Amino acid sequence: MQAVGRLTPRSGFELRYGMASVREVQRDYSLTGVETSVAIASGLANGQWWQADISPARLKELSARSNGRAAIDMTLWVVLLVGSGILAWTLRSSWWALPAFGIYGALYGGAADARWHECGHGTAFKSGRLNDLFYYPACFMLARQPLFWRWSHFRHHTDTIVRGRDAEIVFQRPASIPKTLFAFTHLSGGPQMMAGTVRTALGQLTDVDRELIPPDDLRRLVTHARIFASIWLAAVVASVATATLWPVLFIGGPTIYGAWLVLFFGLTQHAGLQENVLDHRYSTRTVLMNPVFRFLYLNMNYHVEHHMFPTVPYYNLPRLHAEIRDQLAPPNPNTVHAYREIFNAFKHQSVDPDWEIPDRQVPELPGRRAQIAQVTEWAGADGRTDLGPSDLEPGELRPVRIDGVDFVLARTDEGDHVLADRMCTHGEADLASGLVLGCEIECPKHNGRFDLRTGEPTRKPVREPLGVRPVSVSNGRLYLG
Ligand code: FES
């Protein structure tokens, strides 16, 4: 799928910003600028996204998490990390230390990214504590402030590549190939992120911190930053005291010299693709990769699938891909192909920021949301609302409408029935396409969770309780109350 150049004679960029040269005007990607107002006014912010059609039962199956499977991958990563570190130390007096440090750095400052990501979603392990156990160290390795990045990633999933809303648009337009290549060194980004953490440690919060993070999380943001900054300071002091670079080459330094791997994989996710579109098939890329890359990247090469169904853990993404690939754009067949496409797009977008990769071959299909909208309506009778036959399987969800109001009927894995509000209290995602996990329901958008028995939030980002009502079973039928 070779992209072909196309220059629009009078682009939307020119219409929006006047006729100034694209090299003179940078698009506004800030979260508080003109594009933010545009995104909100046009319905792009917190919009309804296209989803591939997949049966709820199959999605639930694919969304199952396994402590054992994640433990194998995490243990292998830790063993390789420690092993390469020991090797680098053993070889420190020879030039062979260089490749050993190269591997150590890539595992530390590069492969940590995928671990950070999966554990941040809470989908790697079944256990929330095990996810946290790896989330915080991975944040440290990447110099990412844990709460800032947790909340910014929620926003990335809400408003993927929507200008003025998504804080994680790394490759902005007009594209710049020299800047992109320089980004691989992380010589600018790495020190900036570390300096930002130090500023937070000193209590200096930014407008973006306050925009993204709820006020009661700000204190913990500062605490984490102080812990991270203290460890870096200890490594620097140790280096000064021993008059060697070894301490910083092992701690802190790999955040910079190993980060090329984050860029190497991360560039393939959205770079060169369409902004401001509520369909991941246009803004996100799936690339078929070899098993080594997929281990380092934890299958995030199936990036369209991940964005569309974030409840599915990384080890099930290849199966999800097989299930829905006919509804998506064809994947890039390999990494080289993806890079050709990206740099060709950058070449055009450096001149015309409105240039898009032509012919993504996205099939025109109604998608899942249209089918979920087919709700069952039941009228009230004798003071009790009849919710239909009690044929829900444990873990099943069914959208229902009562007197014109939408709800979701859920059956917990324990077998109890509950009638819950259909919209998530965080971002108004449709819980009818969520996931029942035991007695909880997980939101399909940001993996926030509610206890179905009480409606109380049990996992961020949800903070407001969900309305839930008990449902009884009588003579094979369900009744509200
Ligand atoms: S919309 Fe964010 S957790 Fe539901």
Side-chain angles (χ1 to χ4, degrees):
M1 191 166 51
Q2 183 68 34
V4 180
R6 174 178 60 86
L7 288 171
T8 51
R10 182 168 169 77
S11 67
F13 182 87
E14 289 165 336
L15 292 171
R16 188 186 297 272
Y17 296 101
M19 295 302 289
S21 154
V22 294
R23 296 197 183 281
E24 292 167 17
V25 184
Q26 187 71 34
R27 282 184 173 182
D28 178 8
Y29 286 89
S30 75
L31 300 192
T32 50
V34 60
E35 291 286 358
T36 308
S37 314
V38 171
I40 292 170
S42 62
L44 282 166
N46 210 7
Q48 293 293 312
W49 287 74
W50 190 92
Q51 268 193 324
D53 186 23
I54 181 170
S55 80
R58 182 66 177 141
L59 185 59
K60 182 171 168 62
E61 207 179 306
L62 292 172
S63 299
R65 288 102 202 237
S66 157
N67 284 338
R69 173 58 207 269
I72 291 170
D73 287 331
M74 296 296 179
T75 305
L76 183 56
W77 171 58
V78 171
V79 166
L80 290 171
L81 181 69
V82 173
S84 59
I86 292 171
L87 189 67
W89 176 252
T90 310
L91 298 172
R92 67 189 180 282
S93 52
S94 90
W95 287 105
W96 287 108
L98 279 177
F101 270 113
I103 295 169
Y104 174 76
L107 290 164
Y108 178 123
D113 178 51
R115 279 77 195 161
W116 161 82
H117 179 264
E118 280 301 295
C119 294
H121 273 281
T123 46
F125 293 93
K126 194 171 181 178
S127 152
R129 286 196 179 158
L130 284 174
N131 283 318
D132 282 350
L133 184 71
F134 284 89
Y135 179 72
Y136 289 96
C139 281
F140 172 76
M141 291 175 175
L142 300 161
R144 292 181 186 165
Q145 300 183 55
L147 289 172
F148 178 90
W149 279 80
R150 205 187 275 276
W151 285 98
S152 95
H153 201 64
F154 290 143
R155 177 68 73 84
H156 174 59
H157 272 265
T158 303
D159 299 317
T160 310
I161 317 299
V162 172
R163 287 192 300 277
R165 294 285 296 175
D166 185 353
E168 296 183 14
I169 306 181
V170 181
F171 303 99
Q172 304 179 347
R173 302 189 192 189
S176 163
I177 292 177
K179 269 191 200 166
T180 303
L181 294 176
F182 181 69
F184 275 78
T185 67
H186 213 36
L187 286 173
S188 170
Q192 271 179 30
M193 289 169 75
M194 289 171 140
T197 305
V198 171
R199 278 196 298 274
T200 306
L202 295 172
Q204 298 170 15
L205 302 181
T206 65
D207 288 346
V208 179
D209 292 333
R210 295 183 200 283
E211 157 76 13
L212 287 176
I213 305 169
D216 56 348
D217 266 351
L218 291 174
R219 186 190 287 256
R220 284 173 58 225
L221 178 83
V222 174
T223 305
H224 294 150
R226 287 181 179 161
I227 294 169
F228 286 11
S230 303
I231 300 172
W232 292 330
L233 183 64
V236 171
V237 168
S239 270
V240 172
T242 58
T244 70
L245 283 175
W246 302 123
V248 293
L249 282 175
F250 281 104
I251 296 173
T255 300
I256 297 171
Y257 73 77
W260 63 270
L261 192 62
V262 178
L263 271 292
F264 177 71
F265 290 134
L267 191 70
T268 65
Q269 295 177 353
H270 309 283
L273 294 175
Q274 214 168 316
E275 298 174 345
N276 287 10
V277 56
L278 299 179
D279 188 335
H280 298 108
R281 300 175 301 170
Y282 292 96
S283 63
T284 308
R285 184 181 281 110
T286 282
V287 184
L288 303 183
M289 290 186 179
N290 65 56
V292 175
F293 283 7
R294 283 176 38 210
F295 163 72
L296 293 169
Y297 194 25
L298 290 185
N299 282 339
M300 276 303 118
N301 52 306
Y302 296 106
H303 215 64
V304 178
E305 293 81 351
H306 163 68
H307 266 276
M308 221 172 257
F309 297 106
T311 57
V312 176
Y314 69 90
Y315 30 83
N316 287 339
L317 286 177
R319 285 196 281 160
L320 175 63
H321 171 74
E323 192 91 18
I324 63 172
R325 68 180 161 209
D326 292 346
Q327 302 175 56
L328 311 180
N332 294 80
N334 54 56
T335 314
V336 172
H337 183 278
Y339 264 79
R340 279 209 188 110
E341 182 181 83
I342 291 163
F343 278 95
N344 184 52
F346 279 1
K347 200 172 73 189
H348 292 286
Q349 289 164 0
S350 64
V351 183
D352 176 8
D354 277 347
W355 189 90
E356 303 295 353
I357 297 170
D359 194 19
R360 291 271 299 154
Q361 299 176 41
V362 174
E364 282 208 19
L365 295 166
R368 189 166 189 241
R369 196 165 302 285
Q371 297 201 5
I372 287 172
Q374 313 292 323
V375 294
T376 314
E377 298 202 36
W378 297 94
D382 299 334
R384 287 208 300 175
T385 302
D386 183 337
L387 298 172
S390 63
D391 55 356
L392 253 68
E393 296 293 329
E396 195 178 335
L397 295 165
R398 178 181 297 160
V400 295
R401 181 171 292 157
I402 302 168
D403 294 336
V405 181
D406 285 326
F407 298 92
V408 61
L409 190 57
R411 187 164 186 201
T412 67
D413 285 334
E414 278 69 25
D416 296 325
H417 296 85
V418 176
L419 186 75
D421 291 347
R422 188 163 160 186
M423 289 296 141
C424 176
T425 58
H426 173 238
E428 299 194 0
D430 186 355
L431 291 174
S433 46
L435 180 70
V436 174
L437 296 165
C439 291
E440 295 179 339
I441 185 166
E442 183 170 291
C443 175
K445 202 163 188 178
H446 305 122
N447 308 91
R449 287 187 205 158
F450 303 92
D451 189 320
L452 279 169
R453 295 162 299 189
T454 61
E456 287 302 313
T458 53
R459 187 174 192 276
K460 283 179 182 171
V462 292
R463 301 160 65 78
E464 300 296 324
L466 186 73
V468 292
R469 300 138 199 95
V471 169
S472 57
V473 187
S474 175
N475 294 327
R477 295 195 75 79
L478 299 170
Y479 294 95
L480 181 58

